[in-house]
Amino acid sequence: MTNSESALEHFDDSGIGRVLCIVAHPDDMEYGASAAVAEWTARGVEVAYLLLTAGEAGIREMDPAEVGPLRAEEQRRSCAVVGVTDLTILDLPDGLLQADLETRRHIARRIREFRPDAVMCTTWELEAPWGLNHVDHRATGLATVDAIRDADNPWLYRELRAEEGLEAWSTRWLLVTGAANTHAIALSAESVEKGIASLEAHKVYLAALPDHVPPREMITGITAGAGAAAGVPSALGVRAIRMG
Ligand SMILES: [Zn+2]
């Protein structure tokens, strides 16, 4: 999702050792972002995923009780493709997420635990480049912005320190996907292939969406578009925001 008209600056991720990716649903990381994850894990960057829901309300014809565990398993497989073993899936309600204090506390807690240099999330805008953004994506993005600041404030959630020894943590970068891109993360051909395979891992979910663009076509298109704007064959476009 890029504006190929404008040039994207190369994002210097050389000083980044840990990245926490925070999204609403299984598959949300797999529209290009997971290709960047593959790039990072290949050179030893630690990457963890935090999903706020199991996406249990995501398949119209199937019962959420069946869909939740199934999509969680598909996400585990997808993570394995791009070298991620640290996957947390919360049981917040799919379709009904709110950017409230409970959600912020969950995210802040994970930030203090994992201590990321960068957090990656999806855009909180209502109107995204591809159309109207899902409520859960909006809530997750917004709650993530606030939780990064919450996690950095030692006077908030003091019980996390008292009970779990979780100290305040300052995240340096917020990388937002699906927003107006400012930067590009260059991708090797191998990382693009892993990105495609990681989306294909959501088999049952994609099979329930017959109009979905085939993963190869979709990921190749997204990464080639950002690549063209950055002067490389393939890239992930991100909005990079300096935090604390
Ligand atoms: Zn989603």
Side-chain angles (χ1 to χ4, degrees), residues 24-28 137:
H25 313 120
D27 93 317
D28 287 353
H137 302 164

Side-chain angles (χ1 to χ4, degrees), residues 11-22 36-37 40-41 43-49 84 86 110-120 148 167-175:
F11 179 69
D12 180 11
D13 53 9
S14 58
I16 288 177
R18 280 188 306 277
V19 182
L20 178 59
C21 304
I22 302 167
V37 170
W40 287 325
T41 58
R43 58 160 206 263
V45 174
E46 274 180 69
V47 182
Y49 284 15
V84 172
D86 190 334
R110 189 69 191 109
I111 289 172
R112 286 185 183 176
E113 252 176 12
F114 188 68
R115 301 158 76 90
D117 301 307
V119 162
M120 180 176 251
I148 289 172
E167 302 283 351
W169 177 257
S170 176
T171 300
R172 257 185 300 143
W173 286 102
L174 174 61
L175 305 175

